[in-house]
Amino acid sequence: MSKIGSAIYEIHHIDAIAARDQWVNKVHPLVKLVLTVFYITVVVSFQKYDVAGLLGMAVYPLALFLLSEVSFGDSLKRLKLVLPLVCFVGILNPFLDRNYVEIDGVVFNAGILSMITLIMKGVFSVFASYLLIATTSIEKLCYAFRLLHVPKILVTQILLTYRYITVLLAEVNRVTQAYALRAPNQKGIHFKVWGSLTGQILLRSMDRANVVYESMNLRGYHGEFQYVGEKIRLSWKDVCYMVIWGGIFILFRNIPVIPVIGNAVGGLFL
């Protein structure tokens, strides 16, 4: 399978995961969107040397992986390009921050602590965003955006871009396959035909866009889609889900739960 074909498959696979009949998938999309934003905000707010406190925030993505039954291994494969970039952001901290920090009588290199903290913040935020997409369809996410009064033109742009990126990728795949059949002994696409192939892809995309827009008008499109989420009502379970997780985030932000648990467990064996 080509790289473009793999990309198309991954997009359809994510849609299939988001459409599964799991309990987490049925939680109101607005609740999951607000919780994700709140979680990322809390994660980012930790001090740059607070590794122990930040470690407790791993409970949210770990719990979602278990509840949604999303494969952690497959998630790592899909995020293999994003996670190294996130980790690379703080790799220079040990060289830039040469101070030392004393924690419980132990002296640590401040640069290493800040690097670990920055990496953890990025990884946790990426996983939280990925799990939101993996448990919520794009239609429900767009509905949640409209409930937050995000401009409808922006929401429509997000929805159409996500939905028809596969159409564009399919057109690119056809063009590249046709070129490969006409130049079987050539590796890749010669730079002399980059301009003409790009023009062909652009023209084919514009033709498909006109067909899509005409179909939308025939189905009664008047500037805003009727989202599937409009049939969803906010239940007491959704409210409890948001309150419980929100309380956990606030608790873990103000109390270093992991060190407290470690000290309590250590005290039982002394």
Side-chain angles (χ1 to χ4, degrees):
M1 185 183 295
S2 64
K3 292 183 179 180
I4 298 177
S6 299
I8 296 174
Y9 169 78
E10 289 296 336
I11 294 175
H12 289 313
H13 187 64
I14 290 294
D15 289 338
I17 294 176
R20 290 189 306 176
D21 191 21
Q22 296 289 343
W23 180 79
V24 178
N25 296 45
K26 296 179 180 179
V27 176
H28 199 282
L30 180 61
V31 170
K32 288 186 284 187
L33 178 61
V34 171
L35 274 179
T36 302
V37 174
F38 184 51
Y39 173 79
I40 294 175
T41 303
V42 173
V43 166
V44 173
S45 69
F46 275 84
Q47 297 296 327
K48 62 179 180 178
Y49 303 135
D50 192 5
V51 177
L54 185 59
L55 188 61
M57 297 302 293
V59 65
Y60 181 65
L62 290 177
L64 283 188
F65 273 117
L66 294 175
L67 293 174
S68 61
E69 297 183 5
V70 175
S71 173
F72 182 74
D74 292 342
S75 302
L76 288 178
K77 293 179 182 178
R78 295 189 182 95
L79 299 173
K80 62 183 178 182
L81 296 179
V82 179
L83 291 178
L85 180 62
V86 170
C87 296
F88 183 76
V89 172
I91 200 169
L92 295 178
N93 281 34
F95 304 99
L96 300 176
D97 190 351
R98 297 180 178 273
N99 297 321
Y100 292 91
V101 178
E102 183 176 347
I103 302 177
D104 294 334
V106 181
V107 178
F108 295 93
N109 183 285
I112 294 178
L113 287 179
S114 62
M115 179 190 68
I116 295 173
T117 303
L118 188 59
I119 291 174
M120 290 173 62
K121 288 180 180 181
V123 171
F124 290 168
S125 300
V126 168
F127 274 128
S129 303
Y130 171 78
L131 288 168
L132 172 64
I133 298 173
T135 58
T136 315
S137 65
I138 188 63
E139 290 84 4
K140 292 181 179 180
L141 274 178
C142 289
Y143 172 61
F145 286 140
R146 289 299 294 137
L147 290 178
L148 294 176
H149 300 286
V150 176
K152 62 181 180 181
I153 187 172
L154 180 60
V155 175
T156 300
Q157 188 68 33
I158 294 173
L159 178 60
L160 289 179
T161 300
Y162 183 87
R163 275 294 167 218
Y164 294 103
I165 190 67
T166 54
V167 177
L168 177 60
L169 290 175
E171 293 294 338
V172 175
N173 198 29
R174 292 190 189 97
V175 171
T176 53
Q177 286 181 350
Y179 179 85
L181 291 174
R182 288 169 174 80
N185 297 324
Q186 184 175 313
K187 294 183 178 180
I189 300 175
H190 199 276
F191 72 92
K192 292 183 179 180
V193 298
W194 286 0
S196 59
L197 286 183
T198 303
Q200 288 293 326
I201 294 173
L202 177 60
L203 293 175
R204 292 166 70 94
S205 301
M206 291 176 64
D207 291 338
R208 181 61 66 90
N210 287 330
V211 173
V212 170
Y213 182 68
E214 291 174 358
S215 301
M216 290 162 53
N217 288 331
L218 290 173
R219 293 187 171 105
Y221 174 74
H222 297 293
E224 186 169 6
F225 287 100
Q226 299 298 318
Y227 303 106
V228 177
E230 290 178 348
K231 300 178 181 179
I232 302 176
R233 295 291 181 268
L234 190 67
S235 65
W236 64 270
K237 294 181 181 179
D238 299 322
V239 176
C240 291
Y241 181 84
M242 182 169 60
V243 171
I244 290 173
W245 274 119
I248 292 175
F249 297 161
I250 296 174
L251 175 66
F252 278 56
R253 178 61 184 87
N254 293 282
I255 300 176
V257 178
I258 299 299
V260 170
I261 295 176
N263 294 333
V265 173
L268 296 177
F269 295 96
L270 295 178

